[in-house]
Amino acid sequence: MALLTNLPTDLLRTFIAVVELGGHSKAGAVLGRSQPAISLQIRRLEDLVRAPLLAQEGRSIHPTQAGEALLSYAREMVRINDEAVRYFHRSDMTGVLRIGLPTDYAVAFLQNSLTNFMRHHPDVDLEIYCDLSRELHQHLRSDDLDIIVATMPTARMPYMSRAWVEQPIWAAAESLALIEGRAVPLGAHLEGCDYRARMIEALDGASRRWRIVYTGPGISGLQNAVLNGLCITALTQATMLPGMRELGEDEGFPKLELLRIGLFYKHPRLSAAGLQLVSDLVASLESVGSGVKTVPNG
């Protein structure tokens, strides 16, 4: 029987840090090692996987195709390792965690996970920031946020831990009577919202007139506008409320394009409390169903 190759987590942790921080010296500063030591660890890891993992382009370092494939495995292996260590050490966790969420996820999808985390870790202060996904990605890149859940404009994005797919649906009040020939009254979040773009694209593709009659940043205000019959909007199944109904193609509302959502964080910069919350969120996502899946990413 052939012996299996073991990939040491310290080498994987170094590889993740070099990719996410953009260089050997920056990774060494975070991990407490010299630049030559970091380079040696990367070479050891390349020897184990029998492939070059990093490529230099000018002053920038990028993962090779093999490096991109390994990065997804490495992040998960290191996360599970850290989760096991935290379980057995049972150390007290303190500090501040800054979480970025689209409004509908803050209200409906991750609320229980965040509430349970606060209950079990009272010494950790959570700061929740709700905004458009494009803004959340920017705040993560600039280290203004620690963990974000956000839509993905492309299939491959930095700092991604998990990705899943959501099907937006047309929502209207049960009592709303649509008048043939009139422009569809739309309710939407602010310009730049992915749901807003999908509604407009679908109606334009079906040659249906529309007009924006309600705009607001919060999900509750949008839900109330729909329930009161002011407008029609796109929601997910989780944010549909009693008193709403789904509009289908038989009523002239074409199926909306799928949304790709991701969980993102910078592993080298995340505290023990942050890694624990990531594990809790991953468990929450996996309990939702088969729509949640890991996607290889660099």
Side-chain angles (χ1 to χ4, degrees):
M1 179 179 177
L3 294 177
L4 294 175
T5 298
N6 292 314
L7 301 179
T9 54
D10 61 330
L11 301 186
L12 297 174
R13 196 183 304 276
T14 296
F15 172 61
I16 294 169
V18 171
V19 173
E20 292 195 350
L21 301 179
H24 293 67
S25 58
K26 292 179 180 179
V30 170
L31 299 175
R33 296 188 180 93
S34 66
Q35 182 173 341
I38 295 294
S39 298
L40 179 61
Q41 286 191 310
I42 295 298
R43 286 198 296 272
R44 286 179 57 200
L45 186 57
E46 288 177 328
D47 289 341
L48 289 172
V49 299
R50 302 176 184 176
L53 298 173
L54 298 172
Q56 184 94 27
E57 296 181 12
R59 294 187 176 182
S60 301
I61 291 179
H62 301 285
T64 62
Q65 185 174 359
E68 290 182 344
L70 178 63
L71 185 60
S72 178
Y73 292 112
R75 290 172 63 86
E76 186 67 3
M77 291 166 70
V78 170
R79 182 188 69 80
I80 292 173
N81 174 86
D82 294 347
E83 182 177 352
V85 171
R86 287 193 306 273
Y87 174 81
F88 287 105
H89 285 189
R90 307 288 177 88
S91 57
D92 292 333
M93 288 186 286
T94 60
V96 177
L97 281 177
R98 302 160 302 169
I99 317 300
L101 301 169
T103 305
D104 49 348
Y105 284 94
V107 171
F109 191 57
L110 297 176
Q111 187 175 40
N112 290 337
S113 298
L114 297 175
T115 302
N116 289 336
F117 182 87
M118 290 186 289
R119 185 181 302 116
H120 290 104
H121 305 286
D123 293 328
V124 179
D125 295 322
L126 293 188
E127 296 179 358
I128 311 299
Y129 182 85
C130 295
D131 205 337
L132 297 173
S133 289
R134 67 183 183 188
E135 301 299 328
L136 297 178
H137 284 293
Q138 177 58 44
H139 287 307
L140 180 67
R141 287 193 296 269
S142 60
D143 294 324
D144 295 324
L145 292 173
D146 301 307
I147 302 168
I148 68 168
V149 172
T151 57
M152 300 171 58
T154 61
R156 308 178 74 85
M157 297 192 68
Y159 317 124
M160 188 195 75
S161 174
R162 282 289 193 280
W164 66 99
V165 170
E166 291 279 6
Q167 176 61 68
I169 55 179
W170 292 102
E174 290 180 348
S175 59
L176 180 66
L178 297 171
I179 302 175
E180 188 174 353
R182 285 196 180 181
V184 176
L186 292 182
H189 294 310
L190 304 176
E191 187 70 39
C193 170
D194 294 281
Y195 291 83
R196 179 184 182 125
R198 276 160 172 71
M199 287 190 294
I200 292 172
E201 180 182 344
L203 292 176
D204 284 347
S207 300
R208 289 202 66 175
R209 292 188 304 118
W210 54 269
R211 63 190 181 97
I212 302 291
V213 300
Y214 175 90
T215 301
I219 185 68
S220 297
L222 184 58
Q223 289 170 322
N224 284 331
V226 172
L227 286 172
N228 290 328
L230 175 64
C231 61
I232 292 164
T233 195
L235 298 174
T236 60
Q237 197 62 52
T239 49
M240 292 283 284
L241 297 179
M244 293 182 183
R245 66 185 179 95
E246 180 179 350
L247 299 173
E249 295 183 63
D250 58 330
E251 295 179 84
F253 290 87
K255 193 171 184 179
L256 294 165
E257 184 182 348
L258 292 171
L259 278 170
R260 189 182 182 93
I261 318 292
L263 170 65
F264 302 84
Y265 65 96
K266 295 181 179 179
H267 192 285
R269 297 188 182 277
L270 209 53
S271 65
L275 292 172
Q276 180 60 59
L277 179 55
V278 165
S279 292
D280 291 353
L281 296 180
V282 167
S284 173
L285 292 174
E286 290 176 344
S287 70
V288 172
S290 59
V292 180
K293 61 179 180 178
T294 302
V295 178
N297 192 17

